[in-house]
Amino acid sequence: MCISLRTLTEMDEMNRAMIPILALLVGLVGCGVDSTQTHVATSEAALELRAYDVPEGQADRVVSMLERLVSKDSGAWRVTRGPGSKVVVVAPPPMLASVDAFIGGLDFEASGAVPAAHRLDYWLVLARPGKAGSRSAGLEEISGPLDAFAASQGEARFELLDRIALRSMDGHYAEARGKVAKVEQRASKVGSRIVANVDAELSGSKVSTQLQLTPGQTAVLAQVGFDEKIAMQLTGGPEELSPDRAPVVLLYVVRAAVEE
């Protein structure tokens, strides 16, 4: 839903709860207001204000997710909590189209009380396709994703490099370091799903993404090529590079849980 602003006199007559929105616009640029929608001239593109109605108790979480989703290099844009259960966004129309799609795709129907915390479990697994199939200890819980990898990529040897369990309050940032990896997350429960922004890093390999999982669901967060020499250092062997130069793949596997 797009809010229309006509004159400053009309703004004075609006509920005092809208004052932070006006201040937001003034902070961005001067008041370039027309008779239909709020368009603010900038050197790059016009800015437009839209207010989105979300279910009660969800506005802060949606604001937090949008702040994490949009790159700081995306130019002039702002997102804030509006009156009641509104989320207010000021941005160029193309960016607002993406915000429309994101908020429209969220499932709020199953939302209840905000859970105390979320726990995401991470496994960083080295896969050597083409090698005799074997799995190191600690991979039993993620046999499903590993079976799927082997089915699509062929026989492989799997070695667990690190395992991290990271717990965070709803909508809050958390960080943890394992033996060789680092994970950062900000997770929220929206409807029946856990929506999380995740940054994971291991020996020069880095993944930044957003995921949506149901509690208990396990998925491969990312699958990337990995340097074989570094793999040898992390696993303690083999002493020589593979004669067939088979690719080494690093799998980031994640499972979501809700702690009430």
Side-chain angles (χ1 to χ4, degrees):
M1 176 182 71
C2 180
I3 291 179
S4 297
L5 304 179
R6 296 181 180 278
T7 67
L8 290 178
T9 300
E10 291 173 333
M11 283 296 301
D12 292 337
E13 296 174 354
M14 296 179 68
N15 189 294
R16 288 181 177 272
M18 295 300 292
I19 291 177
I21 299 175
L22 177 59
L24 175 64
L25 285 172
V26 174
L28 286 172
V29 291
C31 295
V33 181
D34 66 18
S35 62
T36 56
Q37 288 186 331
T38 300
H39 291 284
V40 185
T42 69
S43 59
E44 297 180 356
L47 297 181
E48 182 178 312
L49 181 150
R50 291 186 190 176
Y52 301 86
D53 290 307
V54 299
E56 185 176 353
Q58 301 289 345
D60 288 335
R61 284 193 260 179
V62 173
V63 168
S64 176
M65 286 187 287
L66 287 173
E67 288 175 336
R68 292 282 292 171
L69 274 174
V70 181
S71 168
K72 295 179 180 179
D73 300 325
S74 297
W77 83 285
R78 294 291 187 275
V79 57
T80 188
R81 169 76 181 270
S85 294
K86 293 185 183 295
V87 173
V88 180
V89 181
V90 179
M95 185 181 293
L96 287 174
S98 297
V99 175
D100 290 347
F102 174 73
I103 294 181
L106 294 176
D107 176 15
F108 294 108
E109 292 184 2
S111 297
V114 176
H118 308 290
R119 191 188 76 249
L120 272 69
D121 296 314
Y122 301 89
W123 291 261
L124 285 86
V125 182
L126 201 64
R128 298 178 184 272
K131 300 293 182 181
S134 64
R135 299 180 184 184
S136 62
L139 297 178
E140 298 81 9
E141 295 179 81
I142 57 170
S143 58
L146 299 186
D147 290 342
F149 177 89
S152 63
Q153 305 286 334
E155 191 175 34
R157 186 172 73 222
F158 298 101
E159 299 173 76
L160 179 63
L161 297 182
D162 212 343
R163 163 78 186 275
I164 296 174
L166 184 53
R167 181 179 182 271
S168 62
M169 301 302 292
D170 190 90
H172 288 250
Y173 170 86
E175 172 186 325
R177 293 179 181 271
K179 294 185 297 182
V180 293
K182 173 186 174 182
V183 173
E184 303 171 54
Q185 75 181 36
R186 188 186 300 268
S188 298
K189 187 172 187 290
V190 180
S192 60
R193 295 187 176 187
I194 305 299
V195 178
N197 294 95
V198 176
D199 295 316
E201 185 174 0
L202 187 154
S203 299
S205 172
K206 186 174 182 179
V207 172
S208 298
T209 189
Q210 186 197 64
L211 57 90
Q212 295 190 39
L213 297 173
T214 57
Q217 181 181 357
T218 303
V220 176
L221 182 66
Q223 174 182 320
V224 298
F226 199 66
D227 186 275
E228 187 172 4
K229 290 184 178 179
I230 298 177
M232 290 166 53
Q233 296 170 0
L234 293 174
T235 60
E239 296 181 356
E240 298 181 357
L241 296 178
S242 303
D244 56 2
R245 307 297 297 165
V248 178
V249 178
L250 178 61
L251 303 177
Y252 292 81
V253 182
V254 61
R255 183 178 63 197
V258 177
E259 298 183 353
E260 301 293 348

